[in-house]
Amino acid sequence: MDIVYFYWSEKCGKSINRSFDNLVNVLKTDKDLNVKEYAVPYSGSNPIHVLKNIIYVYKRRSKKGINHVTGDIHYCILGLLGCTSVLTIHDDYSYKQAKKGIWGKLYKYIFWIYLPIKFATAVLCITETTKESICKLYKNRKIKVFTNHTWPAEYKYYPRTFNAVKPTILQISTGKNKNLETTIRALKGLNAKLVVVERMTDSQIKLAQSLQIEYVNTGRISDKEILELYINADIVAFPSSYEGFGMPIVESQLIGRSLITTDAPPMNWVAGSNCYFLKNPLDVREMRDLINRIVNNAEERNFYISEGLKNAKRFSVQNAVKNLLDIYKSISHV
């Protein structure tokens, strides 16, 4: 069976690619499968770039195999008409953030929601929350839930002596929905070190400096370097207001680190029931109180770490590979 994966432009980062990496690497070891991967050349929603990406996908499609559009570039399904295609939807963020008024919304709806779902052979949402959001926009019986997020063997438990004197707090990503500002403000007056992955904005840097926060901003780094940051962290902060999944949640639990995230779907579904949850990801005092709870209560901290390790087992690559191949086989004759 030929399987071709299409990813968004490398200019957009690695989050979607990383969510498929482990899964695809296992599939590549199967001698009965011929797996190829491509990243489209253009980012953004410029109509010319959209058209060029569709043409790029069309030229590299498998006519008899499975073509899988892995997320964000939903419109690329139009380059796969007449072929067997799978579309993974991570969230409805592109549609929600559409600009230019009603015409921008209509453009995003047609090319990111309606046409991709209508013409894809199978549509996979990564969580039930994502499926519910998409079905509010376009209800279709072909939409199923499949979580493609799995992690390589390197993501395992690394024991660490918690630094209660000066904990290292790690936050992944600096996007608007990640609420890095909440974490920065919560650390005011606390003896802690903040490590931020992905480039901080000028306003975020100014805020950290004005509050005299000790911080390190790595910019974009390799997967290996990100793993090292998890291993060397005491607390992982993920006060996101909106996610399709939230990979840092499981990553921090796999490593065995204290996690703070938002008590809202899908974050609370991904994290499981035993976690340090924020009711409001913009509440600085609540965030500071949770940090202090982690620092001052070793028994509770260790309990949540233990529960996190159990929860992370839900996302095993073995289950994901079996389920995905079952999906591919069920549509390969369509």
Side-chain angles (χ1 to χ4, degrees):
M1 180 191 298
D2 291 336
I3 307 173
V4 184
Y5 290 94
F6 294 101
Y7 300 99
W8 62 359
S9 170
E10 294 176 352
K11 300 173 185 177
C12 298
K14 294 184 177 181
S15 59
I16 288 179
N17 307 55
R18 286 182 66 220
S19 74
F20 275 90
D21 274 351
N22 196 38
L23 187 61
V24 172
N25 286 339
V26 173
L27 291 175
K28 285 180 177 178
T29 64
D30 190 327
K31 295 179 180 179
D32 294 326
L33 303 177
N34 178 30
V35 179
K36 296 181 180 179
E37 298 176 273
Y38 299 101
V40 298
Y42 297 99
S43 60
S45 57
N46 180 296
I48 300 299
H49 290 171
V50 166
L51 178 59
K52 288 184 176 180
N53 282 345
I54 291 173
I55 294 171
Y56 179 91
V57 167
Y58 174 80
K59 290 181 176 179
R60 291 159 179 80
R61 74 198 188 285
S62 172
K63 294 180 180 179
K64 296 183 179 180
I66 303 291
N67 299 275
H68 194 147
V69 175
T70 58
D72 187 77
I73 51 169
H74 303 170
Y75 55 82
C76 283
I77 288 293
L78 299 179
L80 301 170
L81 297 179
C83 302
T84 302
S85 60
V86 178
L87 171 65
T88 289
I89 300 179
H90 294 257
D91 52 50
D92 60 353
Y93 190 72
S94 291
Y95 172 75
K96 282 188 173 181
Q97 297 301 310
K99 299 177 181 178
K100 300 182 180 178
I102 189 172
W103 295 113
K105 284 281 188 183
L106 183 61
Y107 172 58
K108 284 296 183 73
Y109 178 77
I110 291 173
F111 289 97
W112 270 259
I113 304 294
Y114 180 74
L115 291 180
I117 294 175
K118 180 178 178 63
F119 289 115
T121 310
V123 180
L124 309 177
C125 290
I126 63 172
T127 65
E128 190 65 42
T129 302
T130 299
K131 179 182 176 181
E132 290 174 1
S133 298
I134 296 300
C135 285
K136 288 178 181 177
L137 299 170
Y138 179 27
K139 194 169 185 178
N140 190 301
R141 283 188 290 180
K142 73 174 72 171
I143 301 175
K144 309 294 182 184
V145 175
F146 171 76
T147 302
N148 52 269
H149 295 71
T150 64
W151 284 265
E154 291 79 11
Y155 274 85
K156 60 183 180 180
Y157 177 53
Y158 292 87
R160 175 178 172 82
T161 300
F162 188 87
N163 188 343
V165 176
K166 186 178 183 179
T168 295
I169 299 173
L170 173 65
Q171 177 147 345
I172 307 292
S173 191
T174 61
K176 184 178 179 181
N177 60 310
K178 308 299 183 182
N179 297 313
L180 174 60
E181 292 80 1
T182 300
T183 304
I184 293 172
R185 291 189 174 98
L187 292 177
K188 181 182 179 181
L190 298 183
N191 188 28
K193 176 183 177 182
L194 175 64
V195 178
V196 180
V197 176
E198 290 191 6
R199 190 173 300 280
M200 295 167 65
T201 65
D202 290 342
S203 62
Q204 290 168 342
I205 291 173
K206 289 179 181 178
L207 177 63
Q209 291 175 343
S210 68
L211 297 178
Q212 297 182 317
I213 306 299
E214 181 182 342
Y215 74 94
V216 174
N217 185 205
T218 67
R220 285 186 179 174
I221 56 177
S222 68
D223 291 345
K224 183 178 180 180
E225 290 171 313
I226 291 175
L227 176 60
E228 287 298 319
L229 291 180
Y230 277 118
I231 293 172
N232 293 316
D234 296 293
I235 299 171
V236 175
F238 197 67
S240 182
S241 54
Y242 184 87
E243 290 295 325
F245 185 83
M247 291 177 66
I249 295 172
V250 180
E251 289 169 349
S252 61
Q253 291 182 330
L254 286 167
I255 302 300
R257 298 298 176 262
S258 296
L259 166 71
I260 299 174
T261 192
T262 308
D263 190 10
M267 286 79 75
N268 51 10
W269 175 81
V270 175
S273 57
N274 294 304
C275 184
Y276 291 97
F277 283 122
L278 282 166
K279 294 180 180 178
N280 179 0
L282 299 178
D283 191 325
V284 174
R285 178 174 292 181
E286 185 183 12
M287 179 67 137
R288 184 183 291 120
D289 288 345
L290 286 180
I291 292 171
N292 284 325
R293 270 179 61 186
I294 294 171
V295 171
N296 296 319
N297 193 328
E299 184 176 352
E300 181 184 61
R301 181 175 70 234
N302 292 332
F303 172 74
Y304 280 143
I305 289 173
S306 176
E307 291 298 296
L309 290 167
K310 295 176 185 176
N311 177 69
K313 291 179 181 179
R314 289 194 290 147
F315 306 100
S316 72
V317 69
Q318 292 82 6
N319 290 337
V321 167
K322 179 183 181 302
N323 293 337
L324 185 58
L325 286 177
D326 286 344
I327 292 169
Y328 288 163
K329 290 173 183 177
S330 71
I331 63 173
S332 60
H333 65 279
V334 176

